[in-house]
Amino acid sequence: MNNLTAKDLDVLSHILTGEEIACKKARVYAHTLTDAALAEEMNRIADAHAARFSALFTLLGGKK
């Protein structure tokens, strides 16, 4: 992915930040919900955000 412009990197940076924040919020919600089914769904949502973050980060050449 060496052909990315500064604008591309800026947009991807914002997307990564959004995925990270969404993951963290979903984890907080999962821990505060009293309904087990809703908490489980929030954890699945958090996992999906984490997976997208990881995929984008890896695509950009980041290391975990």
Side-chain angles (χ1 to χ4, degrees), residues 11-23:
V11 169
L12 287 171
S13 174
H14 282 95
I15 293 170
L16 282 169
T17 300
E19 289 294 348
E20 182 179 27
I21 290 169
C23 178

Side-chain angles (χ1 to χ4, degrees), residues 14-36:
H14 282 95
I15 293 170
L16 282 169
T17 300
E19 289 294 348
E20 182 179 27
I21 290 169
C23 178
K24 287 179 181 179
K25 283 185 176 185
R27 294 268 184 239
V28 168
Y29 297 152
H31 286 91
T32 59
L33 288 166
T34 55
D35 183 311

Side-chain angles (χ1 to χ4, degrees), residues 21-62:
I21 290 169
C23 178
K24 287 179 181 179
K25 283 185 176 185
R27 294 268 184 239
V28 168
Y29 297 152
H31 286 91
T32 59
L33 288 166
T34 55
D35 183 311
L38 288 176
E40 187 177 320
E41 183 62 25
M42 259 319 129
N43 274 319
R44 279 195 291 270
I45 290 168
D47 290 343
H49 284 296
R52 282 190 294 274
F53 178 91
S54 182
L56 281 169
F57 192 73
T58 301
L59 185 66
L60 289 171

